[in-house]
Amino acid sequence: MKALILMIAALPAPALAEGARVVFDCRTATRCDGAGSCDVATDPHRFSFAPLARGTDEVDLYEVSYDEVTAEAEAPAGLRQFSWSEGAGDRQTLLLNDDTHATWHRLREDDARETEIAFLRCEVLQ
């Protein structure tokens, strides 16, 4: 994960244009619902981040793909977080915590029962 963080943070503008893609495999360790109930989980997730453009106000744009979903993500330069939406009422953030851990927050504005936080263990593939 540290390699992922360093690769994303260090991408220069030309690399963004070339489409340098970063892929990492994650497995959920713990999942908590919006009410704070948590359980052990092992579901896999493969995230792929492809740079799209250097955005405004030091925010970079990426295409994120995972679990048969593709969306446009924003990543503030120098921070280890990505934010995106799958549609109206959906807000998601992936925080890269350290070398091998990430936190995935999924907010469903219209249904609090669908809101969850997943604690992930990850390995960088590219």
Side-chain angles (χ1 to χ4, degrees), residues 34-126:
S37 296
C38 300
D39 61 12
V40 174
T42 60
D43 41 319
H45 303 283
R46 177 174 282 186
F47 291 89
S48 174
F49 288 94
L52 294 175
R54 184 77 63 187
T56 59
D57 299 325
E58 299 295 319
V59 174
D60 297 327
L61 303 177
Y62 291 84
E63 177 184 86
V64 59
S65 300
Y66 62 96
D67 301 343
E68 299 181 26
V69 172
T70 300
E72 187 173 296
E74 295 182 346
L79 297 180
R80 301 179 308 191
Q81 73 180 45
F82 297 87
S83 298
W84 68 90
S85 173
E86 289 181 21
D90 176 79
R91 303 287 178 261
Q92 300 190 43
T93 302
L94 184 70
L95 302 170
L96 308 175
N97 302 338
D98 60 25
D99 293 358
T100 58
H101 298 89
T103 304
W104 185 11
H105 179 252
R106 293 181 271 190
L107 171 66
R108 309 288 195 239
E109 294 174 351
D110 56 345
D111 189 353
R113 295 171 298 179
E114 294 296 316
T115 295
E116 70 178 33
I117 297 174
F119 298 93
L120 311 174
R121 292 183 190 267
C122 302
E123 176 184 357
V124 177
L125 297 181
Q126 294 178 341

